[in-house]
Amino acid sequence: MAVLDDLSGFEFEDLMEDVFRNLGYENVRQAERTADEGRDVLMEEVVDGTRRAIVVECKHTGTVGRPVVQKLHSAIATFDFDGPKRGMVVTTGRFTSPAEEYADRLQRNDDPYPIELIDGEDLREIADEIGLDLYNGRIEILCDETLRPHDPATDVDAPVQEAFRDIENIEAADIPRPHAQVTFRPVVVITADTDAVFETSVGVIHRINDRTGFVVHAERGHPQVADETVATLVTENLHATVDLDVDQFGATFDDVEERRFGQTQTEYKEWAVDRLQDYHTTTVTYTGDNNVTYEKTCEPNRSDISVQSIEPVYLPEVRQTTDLEEYTYSYEYYAAGPSRVTEEDGIHRCVHCDTRGVDETYTYCPNCGAIACDSHSKTERLEGEPICTGCAVTERFALKTKYFYDEQNLEAFRKEYAAMPIHEKAMENKWLASGSVVATLLLIGLLVIGGII
């Protein structure tokens, strides 16, 4: 275990706390370092429905002898726990024969406080078992599980096809296959308990008994808590993960990228404890024995916060881009099989203004490929099809602006307009024509009233 040689004793305890948590032990925490009575890590397990405490001694040393095991046996006996108890000694080195014989004798004699010995070779096997790599004396998160990057029951571009169905004047057959890329982004799901009681001379003034779960984006840089929709996507689909097989997904996506976890298990644990310590800190107002009102800031101790689990998984971020004539439309989302959380929707967006969102109406312009809102979508006069204001050739007829695909269509309509009888020309601006009729009727009415006709 040469990679562990540079660790201090406390750092080795941090590492083992993470290892035990990954092995599934519950309520894993460290004993107070200022008053070490032979207990470094405390944790619990449930065997056949019975909860049992485990007292762990961590020794970052080359050889562990019998006195260490004996001392732990005494510490277990005095440890305050209402239920069965056992012990464990973990070392990066090896155990002497007397130490192994003492632990073996406890097992054979059905001692109420048996002790398990774990040496450096055992640690290697445990690290492999839980998918962790020991590097530079610390735990790097290794994960080969991911949420599904697409719904296996449909094509990978199904979300894009669904988005384009909201756009008027475009058919599925008109939409080319988008370029699809997936980035597997690491996240960790953290569960922690905070249990703290704050008392003064008047009694308990504040109590915290809370289990908190949150999802954290876990790439390089400072950890970032995922927003509620992304967190829900992860937690609701955590039971349905699949192996992250880059070759397999490479047959489905045009580009595949896998990011690494940016922090160690210990760093995520420390970050979570700091965050919860800040989150639960509050100021409480209470009345003292002398009927005077006081304020007290209640901040839980770090020992009041126990990280129960740090569960790594990959969250697929899919980006699909579709080329239509002069424009490229992107659609980006986090995926979990048929479920997804949209990050960027470049389809429900007018290319000419800031109008966006699925509640608006958009029309596709086959002339240039633009998706435009109602304000920027018109009807081409000659062919009667939609055209966006960005590419239209315009000219006024009967005091009204007409829109054309190109100069050829404009010229063709000029000739058509020139040959129209006057009443048809007037109808090229129905509001003007209607106004003329109304004005004529009014004039006739006035003439009749004046006796002129």
Side-chain angles (χ1 to χ4, degrees):
M1 302 291 287
V3 292
L4 300 178
D5 289 347
D6 294 334
L7 285 179
S8 69
F10 289 158
E11 289 172 330
F12 180 54
E13 292 168 15
D14 289 339
L15 182 147
M16 291 313 305
E17 184 183 352
D18 290 333
V19 168
F20 289 131
R21 190 175 293 111
N22 275 272
L23 286 171
Y25 292 101
E26 300 179 2
N27 198 19
V28 182
R29 73 271 188 199
Q30 293 185 33
E32 292 293 336
R33 292 174 176 174
T34 56
D36 190 344
E37 300 175 352
R39 301 190 295 266
D40 292 320
V41 176
L42 305 174
M43 57 191 186
E44 298 168 13
E45 64 182 352
V46 178
V47 179
D48 296 330
T50 301
R51 182 169 293 276
R52 177 166 60 183
I54 306 172
V55 184
V56 185
E57 175 76 9
C58 299
K59 286 296 180 183
H60 184 37
T61 184
T63 304
V64 176
R66 173 174 171 161
V68 172
V69 185
Q70 288 178 304
K71 181 182 177 182
L72 177 62
H73 189 262
S74 299
I76 300 169
T78 60
F79 178 53
D80 184 16
F81 183 79
D82 186 17
K85 300 174 285 187
R86 72 180 181 96
M88 189 182 296
V89 182
V90 183
T91 179
T92 55
R94 64 179 184 84
F95 295 97
T96 64
S97 294
E100 292 176 338
E101 291 169 2
Y102 183 83
D104 186 56
R105 186 164 62 250
L106 294 177
Q107 294 280 358
R108 291 198 312 270
N109 295 337
D110 291 329
D111 190 276
Y113 312 123
I115 294 176
E116 179 183 1
L117 304 182
I118 298 177
D119 62 16
E121 290 298 322
D122 297 326
L123 282 181
R124 280 199 190 96
E125 295 178 5
I126 290 172
D128 290 341
E129 175 186 342
I130 60 179
L132 300 178
D133 183 27
L134 302 178
Y135 78 107
N136 296 330
R138 306 167 80 189
I139 292 183
E140 177 184 12
I141 298 178
L142 297 181
C143 177
D144 58 4
E145 294 293 309
T146 180
L147 304 182
R148 290 185 180 273
H150 68 95
D151 183 358
T154 62
D155 293 333
V156 70
D157 62 346
V160 173
Q161 295 285 343
E162 180 181 332
F164 271 111
R165 279 199 290 271
D166 295 335
I167 310 303
E168 296 183 358
N169 196 48
I170 189 169
E171 302 295 333
D174 299 329
I175 305 170
R177 180 183 179 277
H179 180 277
Q181 64 183 68
V182 58
T183 301
F184 292 97
R185 298 195 177 277
V187 298
V188 290
V189 183
I190 300 176
T191 304
D193 291 335
T194 305
D195 191 358
V197 177
F198 302 89
E199 296 182 83
T200 67
S201 60
V202 298
V204 176
I205 61 169
H206 185 56
R207 186 187 301 273
I208 304 171
N209 187 1
D210 178 69
R211 168 158 288 193
T212 306
F214 44 92
V215 176
V216 180
H217 292 288
E219 293 185 51
R220 292 184 180 275
H222 191 71
Q224 297 289 329
V225 177
D227 65 36
E228 185 176 350
T229 55
V230 174
T232 300
L233 180 74
V234 173
T235 55
E236 289 186 350
N237 293 277
L238 203 56
H239 65 286
T241 58
V242 296
D243 290 339
L244 202 171
D245 187 334
V246 173
D247 292 336
Q248 174 190 345
F249 294 131
T252 304
F253 292 89
D254 299 297
D255 295 306
V256 179
E257 182 181 3
E258 176 186 353
R259 300 289 177 86
R260 291 183 62 178
F261 286 82
Q263 308 287 338
T264 66
Q265 286 256 328
T266 299
E267 289 168 328
Y268 285 123
K269 182 201 71 176
E270 295 298 322
W271 174 85
V273 170
D274 288 341
R275 182 177 185 274
L276 288 173
Q277 195 172 26
D278 291 340
Y279 175 77
H280 286 296
T281 297
T282 186
T283 299
V284 175
T285 302
Y286 69 97
T287 302
D289 294 328
N290 54 1
N291 289 325
V292 176
T293 300
Y294 296 93
E295 285 190 351
K296 179 178 176 61
T297 299
C298 298
E299 179 182 15
N301 296 319
R302 295 181 66 83
S303 58
D304 296 329
I305 302 170
S306 176
V307 176
Q308 297 297 318
S309 65
I310 299 176
E311 191 167 359
V313 71
Y314 280 98
L315 173 62
E317 182 183 52
V318 179
R319 180 178 178 83
Q320 302 203 50
T321 53
T322 307
D323 293 327
L324 290 171
E325 302 294 342
E326 301 173 16
Y327 294 90
T328 297
Y329 299 97
S330 63
Y331 192 65
E332 188 170 327
Y333 53 91
Y334 289 118
S339 303
R340 64 182 181 272
V341 172
T342 301
E343 276 193 290
E344 177 188 342
D345 184 353
I347 297 174
H348 295 90
R349 183 178 68 85
C350 176
V351 301
H352 302 298
C353 67
D354 198 38
T355 299
R356 63 182 65 207
V358 296
D359 295 330
E360 302 291 335
T361 299
Y362 304 93
T363 303
Y364 174 69
C365 173
N367 193 54
C368 67
I371 291 176
C373 66
D374 278 349
S375 298
H376 292 90
S377 181
K378 303 297 180 180
T379 300
E380 208 272 353
R381 173 58 185 87
L382 204 60
E383 300 183 24
E385 296 294 329
I387 185 172
C388 76
T389 57
C391 73
V393 176
T394 62
E395 190 164 315
R396 295 179 69 81
F397 293 87
L399 302 181
K400 183 178 181 180
T401 301
K402 303 293 181 181
Y403 299 86
F404 302 92
Y405 281 144
D406 48 35
E407 290 288 347
Q408 288 77 12
N409 276 20
L410 170 58
E411 184 59 33
F413 183 73
R414 282 174 179 160
K415 295 178 180 178
E416 181 179 316
Y417 184 79
M420 288 180 182
I422 187 65
H423 68 279
E424 288 187 11
K425 287 182 178 179
M427 290 305 296
E428 287 300 316
N429 187 342
K430 293 182 180 179
W431 288 107
L432 180 62
S434 299
S436 299
V437 171
V438 171
T440 301
L441 292 176
L442 287 173
L443 178 60
I444 294 173
L446 290 172
L447 293 175
V448 170
I449 292 173
I452 298 175
I453 59 173

